[in-house]
Short mmCIF file of all heavy atoms in Angstrom, two decimals:
data_model
loop_
_atom_site.label_atom_id
_atom_site.label_comp_id
_atom_site.label_asym_id
_atom_site.label_seq_id
_atom_site.Cartn_x
_atom_site.Cartn_y
_atom_site.Cartn_z
N HIS N 1 102.94 -75.07 -32.59
CA HIS N 1 101.56 -74.72 -32.25
C HIS N 1 100.83 -74.13 -33.45
O HIS N 1 99.63 -74.41 -33.65
CB HIS N 1 101.54 -73.73 -31.08
CG HIS N 1 101.81 -74.36 -29.76
ND1 HIS N 1 100.81 -74.85 -28.94
CD2 HIS N 1 102.97 -74.61 -29.11
CE1 HIS N 1 101.34 -75.36 -27.85
NE2 HIS N 1 102.66 -75.23 -27.93
N LEU N 2 101.52 -73.33 -34.24
CA LEU N 2 100.89 -72.78 -35.44
C LEU N 2 100.49 -73.91 -36.39
O LEU N 2 99.41 -73.88 -36.99
CB LEU N 2 101.84 -71.81 -36.13
CG LEU N 2 102.27 -70.58 -35.32
CD1 LEU N 2 103.30 -69.77 -36.10
CD2 LEU N 2 101.08 -69.73 -34.94
N ILE N 3 101.37 -74.89 -36.53
CA ILE N 3 101.08 -76.04 -37.39
C ILE N 3 99.89 -76.83 -36.83
O ILE N 3 99.00 -77.26 -37.59
CB ILE N 3 102.32 -76.94 -37.52
CG1 ILE N 3 103.39 -76.23 -38.36
CG2 ILE N 3 101.97 -78.28 -38.14
CD1 ILE N 3 104.73 -76.94 -38.38
N MET N 4 99.86 -77.01 -35.52
CA MET N 4 98.74 -77.74 -34.91
C MET N 4 97.42 -77.00 -35.11
O MET N 4 96.37 -77.62 -35.32
CB MET N 4 99.00 -78.01 -33.43
CG MET N 4 99.99 -79.13 -33.19
SD MET N 4 100.08 -79.68 -31.46
CE MET N 4 101.06 -78.35 -30.75
N GLN N 5 97.45 -75.68 -35.05
CA GLN N 5 96.24 -74.90 -35.31
C GLN N 5 95.72 -75.16 -36.72
O GLN N 5 94.51 -75.34 -36.93
CB GLN N 5 96.52 -73.42 -35.11
CG GLN N 5 96.70 -73.00 -33.66
CD GLN N 5 97.04 -71.53 -33.53
OE1 GLN N 5 97.33 -70.85 -34.52
NE2 GLN N 5 97.03 -71.02 -32.31
N ASP N 6 96.64 -75.18 -37.69
CA ASP N 6 96.24 -75.41 -39.07
C ASP N 6 95.70 -76.83 -39.26
O ASP N 6 94.73 -77.04 -39.99
CB ASP N 6 97.42 -75.16 -40.01
CG ASP N 6 97.83 -73.70 -40.06
OD1 ASP N 6 96.99 -72.84 -39.74
OD2 ASP N 6 98.99 -73.41 -40.41
N ALA N 7 96.35 -77.80 -38.61
CA ALA N 7 95.88 -79.18 -38.70
C ALA N 7 94.51 -79.33 -38.07
O ALA N 7 93.61 -79.99 -38.63
CB ALA N 7 96.88 -80.12 -38.03
N GLU N 8 94.32 -78.73 -36.93
CA GLU N 8 93.03 -78.82 -36.23
C GLU N 8 91.93 -78.20 -37.08
O GLU N 8 90.82 -78.74 -37.15
CB GLU N 8 93.14 -78.12 -34.88
CG GLU N 8 91.91 -78.31 -33.99
CD GLU N 8 92.12 -77.73 -32.61
OE1 GLU N 8 92.68 -76.62 -32.51
OE2 GLU N 8 91.70 -78.37 -31.62
N ALA N 9 92.22 -77.07 -37.72
CA ALA N 9 91.21 -76.41 -38.56
C ALA N 9 90.78 -77.29 -39.72
O ALA N 9 89.63 -77.20 -40.18
CB ALA N 9 91.76 -75.08 -39.08
N ALA N 10 91.69 -78.14 -40.20
CA ALA N 10 91.38 -79.02 -41.34
C ALA N 10 90.94 -80.41 -40.90
O ALA N 10 90.68 -81.28 -41.74
CB ALA N 10 92.61 -79.13 -42.25
N GLY N 11 90.85 -80.64 -39.60
CA GLY N 11 90.42 -81.94 -39.11
C GLY N 11 91.46 -83.04 -39.25
O GLY N 11 91.12 -84.22 -39.28
N VAL N 12 92.73 -82.65 -39.34
CA VAL N 12 93.81 -83.64 -39.47
C VAL N 12 94.11 -84.22 -38.09
O VAL N 12 94.34 -83.47 -37.13
CB VAL N 12 95.08 -83.00 -40.05
CG1 VAL N 12 96.23 -84.01 -40.09
CG2 VAL N 12 94.80 -82.44 -41.44
N PRO N 13 94.10 -85.54 -37.93
CA PRO N 13 94.40 -86.13 -36.62
C PRO N 13 95.86 -85.88 -36.23
O PRO N 13 96.73 -85.73 -37.09
CB PRO N 13 94.13 -87.62 -36.83
CG PRO N 13 94.23 -87.83 -38.30
CD PRO N 13 93.79 -86.56 -38.94
N MET N 14 96.09 -85.85 -34.92
CA MET N 14 97.43 -85.58 -34.40
C MET N 14 97.85 -86.68 -33.44
O MET N 14 97.03 -87.29 -32.77
CB MET N 14 97.46 -84.23 -33.67
CG MET N 14 97.29 -83.03 -34.57
SD MET N 14 97.24 -81.49 -33.63
CE MET N 14 95.53 -80.99 -33.87
N GLN N 15 99.16 -86.89 -33.39
CA GLN N 15 99.73 -87.91 -32.51
C GLN N 15 101.05 -87.41 -31.95
O GLN N 15 101.87 -86.84 -32.67
CB GLN N 15 99.95 -89.21 -33.28
CG GLN N 15 100.59 -90.33 -32.45
CD GLN N 15 100.85 -91.58 -33.26
OE1 GLN N 15 100.35 -91.72 -34.39
NE2 GLN N 15 101.63 -92.49 -32.72
N SER N 16 101.27 -87.64 -30.65
CA SER N 16 102.55 -87.29 -30.04
C SER N 16 103.56 -88.40 -30.29
O SER N 16 103.20 -89.59 -30.33
CB SER N 16 102.38 -87.10 -28.53
OG SER N 16 101.52 -86.02 -28.25
N VAL N 17 104.82 -88.02 -30.46
CA VAL N 17 105.86 -89.02 -30.68
C VAL N 17 106.41 -89.57 -29.36
O VAL N 17 107.15 -90.55 -29.36
CB VAL N 17 107.02 -88.45 -31.52
CG1 VAL N 17 106.56 -88.17 -32.94
CG2 VAL N 17 107.61 -87.20 -30.88
N GLU N 18 106.05 -88.93 -28.23
CA GLU N 18 106.54 -89.39 -26.95
C GLU N 18 105.57 -88.96 -25.86
O GLU N 18 104.68 -88.13 -26.08
CB GLU N 18 107.93 -88.83 -26.65
CG GLU N 18 107.97 -87.32 -26.45
CD GLU N 18 109.38 -86.79 -26.19
OE1 GLU N 18 110.34 -87.57 -26.17
OE2 GLU N 18 109.50 -85.55 -26.03
N SER N 19 105.76 -89.50 -24.68
CA SER N 19 104.98 -89.09 -23.52
C SER N 19 105.34 -87.65 -23.15
O SER N 19 106.49 -87.23 -23.25
CB SER N 19 105.28 -90.01 -22.33
OG SER N 19 104.82 -89.44 -21.11
N THR N 20 104.34 -86.90 -22.69
CA THR N 20 104.59 -85.52 -22.28
C THR N 20 105.45 -85.46 -21.02
O THR N 20 105.96 -84.39 -20.68
CB THR N 20 103.27 -84.78 -22.01
OG1 THR N 20 102.48 -85.55 -21.10
CG2 THR N 20 102.51 -84.57 -23.30
N LEU N 21 105.65 -86.58 -20.34
CA LEU N 21 106.47 -86.59 -19.13
C LEU N 21 107.93 -86.92 -19.42
O LEU N 21 108.75 -86.93 -18.50
CB LEU N 21 105.91 -87.60 -18.13
CG LEU N 21 104.57 -87.25 -17.49
CD1 LEU N 21 104.12 -88.37 -16.55
CD2 LEU N 21 104.65 -85.93 -16.72
N THR N 22 108.28 -87.16 -20.68
CA THR N 22 109.64 -87.59 -21.00
C THR N 22 110.68 -86.58 -20.52
O THR N 22 111.67 -86.96 -19.86
CB THR N 22 109.79 -87.79 -22.52
OG1 THR N 22 108.88 -88.81 -22.95
CG2 THR N 22 111.21 -88.20 -22.86
N ILE N 23 110.50 -85.32 -20.83
CA ILE N 23 111.48 -84.30 -20.44
C ILE N 23 111.57 -84.20 -18.92
O ILE N 23 112.66 -84.05 -18.36
CB ILE N 23 111.12 -82.94 -21.05
CG1 ILE N 23 111.29 -82.97 -22.56
CG2 ILE N 23 111.98 -81.83 -20.45
CD1 ILE N 23 112.72 -83.18 -23.01
N PHE N 24 110.42 -84.30 -18.25
CA PHE N 24 110.43 -84.22 -16.79
C PHE N 24 111.26 -85.35 -16.20
O PHE N 24 112.01 -85.16 -15.24
CB PHE N 24 109.00 -84.28 -16.25
CG PHE N 24 108.13 -83.15 -16.70
CD1 PHE N 24 107.35 -83.26 -17.83
CD2 PHE N 24 108.09 -81.95 -16.00
CE1 PHE N 24 106.55 -82.23 -18.26
CE2 PHE N 24 107.29 -80.90 -16.41
CZ PHE N 24 106.51 -81.04 -17.55
N GLU N 25 111.13 -86.52 -16.79
CA GLU N 25 111.87 -87.68 -16.28
C GLU N 25 113.37 -87.49 -16.47
O GLU N 25 114.16 -87.91 -15.62
CB GLU N 25 111.41 -88.95 -17.01
CG GLU N 25 109.96 -89.33 -16.77
CD GLU N 25 109.68 -89.72 -15.34
OE1 GLU N 25 110.63 -90.14 -14.64
OE2 GLU N 25 108.52 -89.60 -14.91
N ILE N 26 113.77 -86.85 -17.55
CA ILE N 26 115.20 -86.63 -17.80
C ILE N 26 115.81 -85.76 -16.71
O ILE N 26 116.89 -86.04 -16.20
CB ILE N 26 115.41 -85.99 -19.18
CG1 ILE N 26 115.08 -87.00 -20.30
CG2 ILE N 26 116.85 -85.50 -19.34
CD1 ILE N 26 115.11 -86.41 -21.69
N PHE N 27 115.09 -84.70 -16.34
CA PHE N 27 115.67 -83.73 -15.43
C PHE N 27 115.51 -84.07 -13.96
O PHE N 27 116.41 -83.86 -13.16
CB PHE N 27 115.07 -82.34 -15.69
CG PHE N 27 115.55 -81.72 -16.95
CD1 PHE N 27 114.72 -81.62 -18.05
CD2 PHE N 27 116.84 -81.24 -17.06
CE1 PHE N 27 115.16 -81.06 -19.23
CE2 PHE N 27 117.30 -80.67 -18.24
CZ PHE N 27 116.45 -80.58 -19.32
N LYS N 28 114.36 -84.60 -13.60
CA LYS N 28 114.09 -84.74 -12.17
C LYS N 28 114.91 -85.84 -11.52
O LYS N 28 115.00 -85.89 -10.29
CB LYS N 28 112.59 -84.99 -11.94
CG LYS N 28 112.11 -86.40 -12.27
CD LYS N 28 110.65 -86.55 -11.92
CE LYS N 28 110.17 -87.99 -12.12
NZ LYS N 28 108.75 -88.15 -11.76
#
């Protein structure tokens, strides 16, 4: 999150490497 704050402040685009539901799918 600290890194994302710094990237956002500099206008650096961000991308997730996976779906946010991946972990949920593993456990449920």
Side-chain angles (χ1 to χ4, degrees):
H1 284 269
L2 299 176
I3 290 171
M4 284 191 283
Q5 288 177 350
D6 292 338
E8 187 174 42
V12 176
M14 292 177 248
Q15 178 183 347
S16 297
V17 292
E18 66 182 0
S19 165
T20 52
L21 291 178
T22 299
I23 292 296
F24 298 92
E25 296 295 335
I26 290 174
F27 287 107
K28 76 176 185 179

